[in-house]
Amino acid sequence: MTNRSTFDDVMVPNYSPLPIIPVRGKGSRIWDENNNEYIDLAGGIAVSCLGHCHPKLVQRLQQQAENLWHVSNVLTNQPALRLAQKLTELTFAEKVFFANSGAEANEAALKLARKYAYDHFGPEKTQIISFENSFHGRTLFTVSAGGQAKYSDGFGPLPGDIDHAVYNDLASVEALISEKTCAVIIEPIQGEGGVKSASKDFLKGLRELCDKHNALLIFDEIQTGAGRTGELYAYQNVDVIPDILTTAKGIGGGFPIGAMLTTTEIAKSLVVGTHGSTYGGNPLGCAVAEVVVDIISDRQLLDNVKTKHRKFMDGLDRINERHKIFSDIRGSGLLIGCELKEAYHGKAKDLLTEALSQNLMVLVAGPNVMRLAPSLIIPDEDIEQGLMSLDKAIASFLSKQD
Ligand SMILES: *Cc1c(COP(=O)(O)O)cnc(C)c1O
């Protein structure tokens, strides 16, 4: 017999999972071992973009599982080729590298930026500029690029020549950037960092600074991509085109896959043998992601994401009028952040726990922000029921404050 306490017995203690153990999911609902039903506004952290067990994804996964799982990159495979073709048709990119996660996609992006600078400008051009409070994954290179010391403290020595500027502050980038800069990496919306959006002017300014100093602009769209903001990728909202874009999370709809997208010219620096992955681009992941891309690149679906955004914002505003718990409600599409008023700072996790008691799954983004990242096709009745449960969770949360 296993239960939640088995976790503490046999798992490395780097996570602290919630008390329930989910066993089944359908659409935007999840059931635990005791058959309790939950509304899922967490979406597996912006991953399950088509909800749980979408019939078309299940069918494609089963079909691929009966044909071919794995061949390694000694060979190519049809699902990978078709997926790459679709991603290049739908974005600025001309070339794709497949990985298995977001961190690996960013690792490839950062390595490519270093290599491209080395090939074209020599060994001195190695500086990477990232942003305070950013999140780019958990490998050593990506925690170093990330702007949250708690994720890299104690793991040194860290990869060098990475500097952090202030998000939405172009002057702070100007102060750091030079001919020695090989790349600037940024999330168009900081997801883990509290659902904070970069302004259009700031992203345009970064594009100009990168062009001026021959640095590559990398958009980490691991959380903002795959339709999350109501466009396939968030750069399409702002008309600022990056040199490299990374995607993961939603693109697999729950199957682990990541990808780095770039231009033919830049891709040339990753010649045969310079980078690789045993599983990257495996037929199972690519087959599922191909169906995800087919479904989420539909204009109607993307417009519905914007409609559902307004539905959430209206509902959250009404809840906040009643309870006056949030100082700010923000975000884009179905990536929404609700910042707690100062009196409740540090208590976002408590609110999450209250929500779970009301059979509702939400996320946090740091200690002060409740984050929602539901399925892009969440039915309106699940939004309404979810918001009703949130209202009750907030009432209970507030009743416990002094
Ligand atoms: C989740 C996330 C990552 C890391 O992705 P993994 O699949 O966990 O490695 C990187 N960047 C951003 C913006 C993310 O949200």
Side-chain angles (χ1 to χ4, degrees), residues 93-133:
E94 298 154 329
K95 292 283 191 282
V96 179
F97 169 82
F98 287 119
N100 310 292
S101 67
E104 282 177 72
N106 281 338
E107 188 82 17
L110 296 169
K111 281 180 71 180
L112 172 57
R114 284 264 175 90
K115 186 66 165 44
Y116 178 82
Y118 181 89
D119 290 349
H120 294 269
F121 304 97
E124 305 283 296
K125 193 175 175 68
T126 55
Q127 186 205 31
I128 292 164
I129 298 178
S130 174
F131 292 90
E132 288 174 7
N133 232 18

Side-chain angles (χ1 to χ4, degrees), residues 101-104 106 135-138 187 192 220 222-223 248-249:
S101 67
E104 282 177 72
N106 281 338
F135 183 79
H136 297 297
R138 301 297 199 116
E187 300 160 85
E192 303 303 307
D220 176 346
I222 289 160
Q223 192 150 160
K249 291 206 167 100

Side-chain angles (χ1 to χ4, degrees), residues 47-84:
V47 167
S48 310
C49 62
L50 296 172
H52 299 279
C53 299
H54 188 289
K56 286 192 173 149
L57 302 191
V58 172
Q59 192 204 3
R60 186 68 187 89
L61 181 62
Q62 284 174 344
Q63 185 197 23
Q64 189 61 42
E66 284 162 12
N67 282 288
L68 187 67
W69 289 28
H70 176 78
V71 288
S72 91
N73 286 299
V74 172
L75 299 155
T76 189
N77 68 79
Q78 292 294 359
L81 295 173
R82 281 198 306 267
L83 177 59

Side-chain angles (χ1 to χ4, degrees), residues 321-349:
E321 273 165 35
R322 216 166 15 255
H323 296 295
K324 304 193 170 32
I325 179 173
F326 302 123
S327 59
D328 191 24
I329 303 172
R330 58 186 178 239
S332 175
L334 290 174
L335 181 57
I336 295 172
C338 303
E339 180 156 353
L340 292 168
K341 284 192 171 167
E342 206 162 324
Y344 311 120
H345 271 193
K347 293 184 173 169
K349 184 81 194 282

